[in-house]
């Protein structure tokens, strides 16, 4: 039986080609993902491990927990702590570490790095072992800085150049005194690292006299565990926490592995979708192959082959096809992984050097996935073929399933679809969006299965609806419609492959478009300010920025927004400091009760916080500030909070005296002439044309949101393109095999007068109808899922409204039509070139 299976594989090489390609693409996606993520993870882990070579034990402050009415303050690592660590038994040396955000601009004034990994730190002494100098000397004083070699190379800086940079808003222009090398993971990932002398770093990063960490090096013969034990005894209890360098490296490796795991899981989901779509192609292919060999299989049964042997024969074919596809897919995936690694390097995404990692797990996973998926998809056609009685098969009295014979299938499909719709609708009625995710996911799965099972039944009325259009093409159009509904199961499987991809694409487009408009609406409705000024990485701004903006020509009103923790009724609540005199004209928040009055002891509170504490207009409460002092405040009004503005707002004049290190999260600005290029230019110039600071009007905020959603959608479209390509292969395969199956019929059509153009037109229209059928189902399901998911989002995003992107929906349907036209090119040409006499004589 195995020899028979091999003979059949070699006899139908061309017909199995598309199946091999479909499985190969899915396996390539899987193996490419595994190779790429394993390679990146391995490179970062080895790079980060080198970064801990100079650390045997790291000392960090203990995290304090707030209790009662007092806001907990984390203990600080002072010079005294550093001295005690350096004198601990077994300690060879100790280095105090200061770190924070520091933005570096290149010579064109653009920010270097990717924002969140642009770091500043201290250079220890004249020869810091962590940062070997490549050229120049150590920095000394506020006017000097050292840069990492990658940043210096990208920005074009060398020793002696003046660099523009910013810590919290104001522009600094220190001189580059040194360029160093580092194994810092942030730098390897495309960030930047600027080093100041220790005193300057402490001053600029708002950590006067204290350190973020103390790195201790063990003396010769002292283990990391022994040094840690000695430090635990030498340092004050409850103020410092110790961790060995090995543990730090292990923790960092675990974090890298975890972050890569998220990327890997996301990519594998799309690989799974491509493989799922491929299942339809495999099942369709083997169904048609088995149908074409019905008499052959019947003869095998007649000479003694059992049902199990016939099924195993089909599975053996599937095994060979799956093995070939898996091996070629693995090879292609290794190439994809290497290509993605090179592509990231070419796009300035800095990745540490390292070898391409092709693990045994990757090889095993790729081979198992390819073979198992193919055999599972081929099992049902093989089992169905084995169940046909030999005499009936040899006499060709077994008929293609009709609509009446599909009653059981339609009943099951209707039950699944009804259950899916019910579960989805139930999820949309739940007030907690998080809890509703499980029933919505279950409903979506049941509905997709139900629609797939019902697709043969749906194909007849939907394709019949295209009849008036097809009549325009005469006999070719009529024949195309009849061919499309002749075998509903086959049409269903072919259309479903395309339906899956378009369902996901449409659903995500609806969700993204609606969410974008909701956030845009929230931003524009909550703000009356002309501009919002903030740091590019959302770090805090120096209070000096608000002062400078208030003096800009044409600026009429400003208000900074600062945050500070407090303890109220035994809970931690963040207070928002604003300019009480101007905040009302800079925001447009809906007031539910009272007045929007801020000043002195009067505050305004968002509706959720008021509800949590049982406050209403006129209520009073005691706020315990972070400096330990307390004050009674009164609720002057309750406003409707949103994701952009919420919490307890009070006057900065009341809050700032109690804040240890005052800073603003953002500054809102109103000008006398509204937004204009000139006004924005004046504001940016007043801030020194600082690349680390964003000056945004409402349109800029909207554009930033739009850009984010567009980037996300484009990435998803790119990933889902694989599923669409696989679906195209399915249409090609089905049509090609259908043409072979109908050779005699096509020969008869040619003989009675249908010319080659008519044959081509017939096959193309059949492909077009099937593809559009799948496209309509996919778009319909996608819109439904987008609506249902939007209902969940609306529970936390109050401005959410369903937005149907009619333009993109039209594009998706046009894409489905294009898929049908392109997929039919080769089968149509093949059908038109059939020799009519040979075709008529064929069986």
């Amino acid at each position: 039986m195995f020899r028979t299976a091999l003979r059949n594989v070699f006899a139908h090489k061309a017909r199995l080609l598309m199946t091999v390609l479909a499985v190969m693409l899915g396996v390539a996606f899987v193996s490419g993902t595994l190779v790429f993520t394993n390679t990146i993870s391995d490179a970062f882990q080895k790079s980060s491990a080198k970064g801990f070579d100079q650390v045997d034990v790291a000392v960090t402050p203990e995290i304090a927990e707030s209790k009662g009415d007092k806001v907990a303050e984390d203990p600080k690592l002072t010079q005294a702590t550093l001295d005690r660590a350096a004198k601990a038994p077994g300690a060879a040396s100790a280095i105090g570490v200061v770190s924070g955000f520091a933005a570096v601009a290149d010579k064109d004034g653009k920010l270097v790095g990717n924002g969140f990994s642009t770091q500043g730190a201290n250079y220890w002494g004249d020869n810091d072992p962590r940062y070997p100098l490549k050229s120049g000397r150590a920095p000394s004083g506020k006017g000097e800085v050292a840069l990492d070699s990658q940043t210096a190379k990208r920005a074009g800086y060398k020793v002696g150049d003046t660099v523009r940079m910013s810590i919290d808003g104001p522009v600094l222009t220190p001189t580059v005194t040194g360029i160093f090398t580092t194994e810092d993971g942030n730098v390897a990932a495309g960030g930047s690292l600027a080093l100041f002398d220790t005193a300057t770093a402490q001053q600029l990063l708002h950590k006067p006299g204290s350190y973020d960490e103390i790195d201790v090096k063990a003396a010769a013969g002292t283990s990391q565990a022994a040094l840690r034990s000695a430090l635990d005894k030498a340092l004050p209890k409850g103020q410092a926490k110790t961790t060995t360098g090995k543990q730090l490296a292990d923790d960092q490796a675990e974090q890298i592995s975890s972050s890569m795991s998220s990327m890997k899981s996301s990519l594998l989901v799309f690989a799974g979708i491509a493989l799922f779509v491929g299942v339809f192609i495999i099942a369709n292919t083997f169904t048609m192959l088995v149908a074409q060999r019905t008499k052959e299989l019947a003869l095998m049964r007649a000479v003694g082959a059992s049902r199990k042997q016939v099924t195993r024969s089909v599975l053996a074919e599937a095994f060979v096809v799956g093995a070939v596809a898996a091996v070629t897919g693995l090879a292609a995936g290794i190439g994809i992984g290497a290509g993605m690694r090179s592509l990231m390097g070419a796009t300035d995404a800095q990745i540490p050097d390292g070898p391409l990692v092709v693990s045994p797990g990757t090889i095993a996973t790729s081979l198992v996935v390819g073979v198992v998926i193919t055999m599972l998809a081929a099992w049902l056609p093989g089992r169905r073929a084995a169940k046909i009685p030999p005499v009936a098969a040899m006499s060709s009295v077994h008929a293609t399933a009709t609509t009446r014979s599909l009653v059981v299938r339609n009943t099951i499909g209707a039950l699944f679809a009804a259950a899916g719709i019910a579960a989805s609708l139930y999820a949309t009625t739940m007030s907690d969006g998080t809890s509703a995710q499980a029933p919505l996911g279950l409903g979506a799965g049941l509905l997709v299965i139900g629609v797939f099972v019902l697709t043969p039944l749906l194909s007849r009325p939907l394709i019949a609806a295209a009849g008036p259009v097809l009549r325009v093409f005469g006999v070719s159009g009529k024949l195309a419609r009849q061919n499309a509904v002749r075998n509903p199961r086959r049409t269903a499987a072919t259309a479903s492959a395309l339906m899956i991809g378009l369902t996901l694409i449409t659903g995500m487009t609806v969700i993204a478009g609606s969410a974008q408009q909701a956030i845009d609406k929230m931003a524009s409705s909550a703000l009356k300010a002309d501009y919002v000024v903030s740091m590019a990485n959302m770090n805090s701004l120096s209070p000096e920025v608000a002062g400078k903006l208030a003096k800009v020509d044409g600026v009429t009103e400003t208000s900074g927004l600062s945050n500070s923790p407090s303890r109220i009724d035994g809970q931690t609540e963040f207070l928002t400091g604003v300019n009480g005199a101007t905040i009302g004209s800079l925001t447009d928040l809906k007031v539910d009760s009272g007045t929007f009055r801020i000043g002195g002891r009067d505050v305004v509170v968002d509706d959720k916080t008021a509800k949590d504490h049982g406050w209403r207009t006129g209520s009073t409460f005691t706020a315990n500030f972070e400096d330990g002092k307390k004050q009674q405040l009164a609720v002057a009004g309750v406003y409707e909070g949103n994701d952009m503005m919420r919490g307890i707002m009070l006057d900065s004049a009341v809050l700032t005296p109690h804040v240890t290190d005052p800073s603003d999260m953002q500054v809102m600005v109103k000008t006398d002439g509204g937004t204009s290029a000139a006004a924005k230019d004046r504001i940016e110039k007043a801030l020194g044309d600082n690349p680390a600071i964003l000056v945004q009007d409402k349109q800029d905020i909207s554009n930033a949101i739009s850009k984010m959603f567009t980037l996300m959608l484009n990435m998803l479209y790119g990933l889902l393109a694989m599923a669409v390509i696989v679906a195209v292969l399915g249409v090609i395969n089905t049509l090609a095999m259908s043409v072979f199956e109908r050779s005699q019929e096509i020969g008869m059509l040619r003989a009675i007068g249908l010319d080659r153009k008519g044959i081509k037109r017939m096959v193309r229209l059949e492909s077009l109808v099937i593809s559009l059928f799948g496209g309509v189902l996919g778009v319909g399901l996608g819109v439904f899922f987008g609506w249902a998911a939007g209902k969940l989002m609306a529970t936390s995003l109050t401005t959410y409204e369903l937005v149907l992107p009619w333009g993109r929906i039209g594009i998706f349907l046009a894409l489905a039509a294009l898929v049908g036209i392109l997929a039919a090119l080769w089968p149509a040409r093949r059908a038109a070139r059939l020799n009519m006499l040979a075709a008529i004589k064929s069986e």
Side-chain angles (χ1 to χ4, degrees):
M1 294 301 291
F2 184 71
R3 286 198 302 271
T4 302
L6 283 178
R7 179 186 63 78
N8 286 326
V9 170
F10 288 114
H12 303 112
K13 295 188 292 292
R15 277 175 267 175
L16 289 170
L17 177 62
M18 296 301 170
T19 303
V20 172
L21 285 174
V23 179
M24 184 198 77
L25 287 174
V27 172
F29 206 151
V30 171
S31 56
T33 295
L34 295 175
V35 169
F36 173 68
T37 52
N38 289 343
T39 297
I40 300 302
S41 179
D42 180 72
F44 275 117
Q45 286 179 14
K46 288 179 178 177
S47 176
S48 65
K50 291 179 183 177
F52 294 110
D53 286 348
Q54 298 299 323
V55 183
D56 285 316
V57 177
V59 181
T60 53
E62 279 282 5
I63 298 175
E65 184 178 349
S66 296
K67 293 180 180 179
D69 293 333
K70 185 176 177 58
V71 177
E73 184 179 357
D74 292 338
K76 295 181 179 179
L77 302 179
T78 63
Q79 185 62 40
T81 314
L82 177 62
D83 293 339
R84 294 178 73 167
K87 293 176 182 177
S93 62
I95 294 175
V97 178
V98 184
S99 62
F101 172 75
V104 178
D106 61 20
K107 291 187 175 181
D108 295 326
K110 295 180 181 179
L111 188 66
V112 179
N114 55 16
F116 289 91
S117 58
T118 51
Q119 298 292 309
N122 66 313
Y123 190 94
W124 189 255
D126 295 324
N127 187 20
D128 193 326
R130 301 170 300 168
Y131 308 114
L133 285 169
K134 190 175 181 181
S135 60
R137 59 173 177 80
S140 177
K142 191 173 181 178
E144 296 184 352
V145 68
L147 297 177
D148 70 89
S149 56
Q150 290 189 32
T151 297
K153 181 180 179 181
R154 277 185 289 162
Y157 288 121
K158 59 183 183 297
V159 173
D161 288 346
T162 299
V163 58
R164 295 179 73 250
M165 59 187 305
S166 178
I167 306 296
D168 56 2
V171 175
L172 305 175
T173 54
T175 301
V176 179
T177 63
I179 294 174
F180 59 90
T181 58
T182 178
E183 298 293 341
D184 187 284
N186 283 325
V187 175
S192 63
L193 181 60
L195 301 180
F196 304 90
D197 69 81
T198 300
T200 301
Q202 289 175 327
Q203 177 192 354
L204 292 175
L205 300 173
H206 304 280
K207 296 162 186 174
S210 66
Y211 302 98
D212 295 297
E213 183 179 306
I214 295 173
D215 293 341
V216 186
K217 187 75 176 170
T222 303
S223 67
Q224 290 187 354
L227 177 58
R228 181 185 180 186
S229 178
L231 286 168
D232 286 338
K233 294 176 182 177
L235 298 176
K237 298 292 183 184
Q239 292 190 12
K241 181 177 68 174
T242 57
T243 310
T244 63
K246 183 180 183 306
Q247 184 62 50
L248 288 172
D250 291 344
D251 291 345
Q252 183 80 1
E254 186 176 342
Q255 289 178 12
I256 293 170
S257 178
S258 177
S259 62
M260 286 294 110
S261 177
S262 300
M263 180 192 293
K264 183 187 298 183
S265 299
S266 300
L267 292 173
L268 287 177
V269 165
F270 291 96
I273 293 169
L275 284 168
F276 181 65
V277 171
V279 166
F280 294 106
I281 300 176
I282 300 164
N284 234 6
T285 302
F286 278 92
T287 297
M288 296 175 75
L289 283 175
V290 167
Q292 292 167 13
R293 301 205 320 265
T294 302
K295 289 187 177 181
E296 175 189 325
L297 294 174
L299 184 60
M300 291 172 60
R301 290 286 311 282
V303 298
S306 66
R307 286 185 176 183
K308 289 183 178 180
Q309 284 180 309
V310 171
T311 303
R312 283 199 294 265
S313 172
V314 176
L315 290 178
E317 287 185 57
F319 174 81
V320 174
V321 171
V324 172
V327 171
T328 53
L330 173 62
I334 294 172
I336 290 171
M340 291 175 68
R341 170 74 171 77
S342 301
L343 180 63
M344 290 191 71
T347 55
D348 291 333
Q350 301 296 319
I351 298 173
D353 292 331
L356 194 69
V357 178
V358 185
S359 66
T362 299
I363 297 173
T365 300
S366 302
L367 295 177
V368 169
V369 165
V371 172
V372 170
I373 290 289
T374 308
M375 292 183 70
L376 283 177
W379 174 76
L380 189 59
R383 183 173 176 272
R384 191 183 296 132
K387 290 175 69 175
I388 300 173
V391 175
M394 293 180 74
S395 303
S396 299
V397 297
H398 62 291
T400 303
T402 63
T403 304
R404 183 173 297 178
S405 69
L406 299 174
V407 170
V408 175
R409 174 177 178 146
N410 295 338
T411 303
I412 294 172
L415 291 174
F416 269 95
I421 293 173
S424 300
L425 292 177
Y426 169 71
T428 63
T429 63
M430 299 176 68
S431 57
D432 183 5
T434 304
S435 302
Q437 290 177 2
L440 180 60
L442 175 63
L446 290 174
L447 181 55
V448 168
I449 293 172
V451 171
F452 168 64
V453 175
L454 286 172
T455 305
L457 180 65
L458 296 173
S459 64
R460 291 185 179 274
L462 288 178
I463 292 176
V469 178
L470 293 175
R471 288 196 196 102
V472 175
F473 298 95
V475 175
S476 296
K478 182 179 180 181
L479 290 172
R481 185 181 65 79
Q482 292 175 346
N483 289 335
V485 296
R486 177 185 296 185
N487 192 326
R489 292 179 187 268
R490 183 186 303 168
T491 299
T494 307
S496 295
L498 189 59
M499 178 191 77
I500 298 297
L502 285 181
T503 295
L504 294 169
I505 290 173
T506 304
M508 287 185 295
T509 302
V510 170
I511 293 169
S514 301
Q516 176 184 330
Q517 180 167 323
I519 296 172
D520 190 8
K521 184 178 178 181
M522 181 189 297
S524 60
S525 63
L527 291 175
K528 283 184 183 177
D530 294 319
Y531 296 99
V532 175
V533 178
S534 61
M535 291 294 287
N537 69 334
M538 300 302 127
N539 266 22
S540 55
L541 287 161
S542 167
E544 181 183 330
V545 173
K548 284 185 176 181
L549 291 171
K551 298 175 184 177
V552 175
D553 184 32
V555 171
T556 56
E557 293 170 327
T558 63
S559 176
L561 271 72
S562 60
N563 283 333
S564 175
S566 69
R567 294 288 288 178
I568 300 173
D569 297 337
Q571 300 179 31
T572 298
E573 294 282 1
F574 278 86
L575 304 174
T576 302
V578 298
N579 185 333
T582 62
I583 190 66
S585 58
L586 292 168
T587 59
D588 191 17
L589 298 169
K590 181 182 177 183
V591 179
D592 292 339
S593 65
T595 59
F596 200 83
R597 184 178 70 252
I598 300 174
R601 64 194 293 267
D602 290 335
V603 303
V604 293
V605 185
D606 73 283
D607 49 358
K608 185 177 183 302
T609 303
K611 182 180 179 182
D612 290 344
H613 287 276
W615 298 336
R616 59 177 62 89
T617 301
S619 297
T620 59
F621 60 91
T622 301
N624 297 273
F625 298 109
E626 64 174 290
D627 65 351
K629 296 181 180 180
K630 60 180 66 176
Q631 182 172 340
Q632 193 174 64
L633 303 173
V635 179
V638 177
Y639 66 93
E640 193 175 293
N642 55 50
D643 288 340
M644 294 192 66
M645 301 193 76
R646 62 174 60 183
I648 304 169
M649 290 190 195
L650 71 164
D651 200 297
S652 295
V654 177
L655 180 62
T656 302
H658 303 289
V659 178
T660 306
D661 185 20
S663 61
D664 292 321
M665 293 307 296
Q666 62 183 38
V667 180
M668 291 184 288
V669 180
K670 196 171 185 64
T671 60
D672 54 8
T675 58
S676 67
K680 186 175 183 179
D681 187 58
R682 287 196 300 270
I683 291 172
E684 290 177 339
K685 277 186 165 50
L687 298 175
D689 290 322
N690 194 332
I693 292 182
L694 293 176
V695 180
Q696 296 177 298
D697 58 21
K698 292 180 184 179
Q699 187 59 49
D700 292 330
I701 295 172
S702 176
N703 291 343
I705 295 169
S706 176
K707 184 178 180 181
M708 176 182 67
F709 279 106
T710 300
L711 178 63
M712 178 191 71
L713 277 178
N714 287 341
M715 290 176 61
L716 293 175
Y717 290 162
L719 292 170
L720 285 171
M722 184 68 72
V724 175
I725 292 172
V726 173
V728 172
L729 294 176
V731 178
I732 295 173
N733 210 30
T734 299
L735 288 174
M737 297 184 74
S738 179
V739 166
F740 177 83
E741 198 175 65
R742 303 200 310 258
S743 295
Q744 190 176 60
E745 175 188 323
I746 292 170
M748 289 295 294
L749 289 172
R750 288 290 314 284
I752 62 176
L754 191 63
D755 59 10
R756 289 186 174 183
K757 286 185 179 180
I759 295 292
K760 285 183 179 180
R761 190 180 301 117
M762 177 188 73
V763 175
R764 288 169 184 166
L765 288 174
E766 179 184 351
S767 176
L768 182 64
V769 167
I770 293 174
S771 296
L772 281 175
F773 170 54
V776 168
L777 289 179
V779 168
L781 284 174
V783 169
F784 176 77
F785 292 142
W787 168 81
K791 284 288 187 180
L792 269 61
M793 294 179 67
T795 59
S796 57
L797 195 59
T798 55
T799 53
Y800 186 93
E801 291 180 4
L802 179 67
V803 176
L804 292 180
W806 294 110
R808 293 205 176 192
I809 288 175
I811 291 173
F812 297 154
L813 290 175
L815 174 65
L818 181 63
V819 164
I821 293 170
L822 294 177
L825 291 178
W826 176 58
R829 184 169 178 269
R830 183 182 177 190
R833 294 180 65 185
L834 284 175
N835 183 293
M836 70 175 74
L837 294 178
I840 291 172
K841 290 190 293 182
S842 66
E843 294 186 5

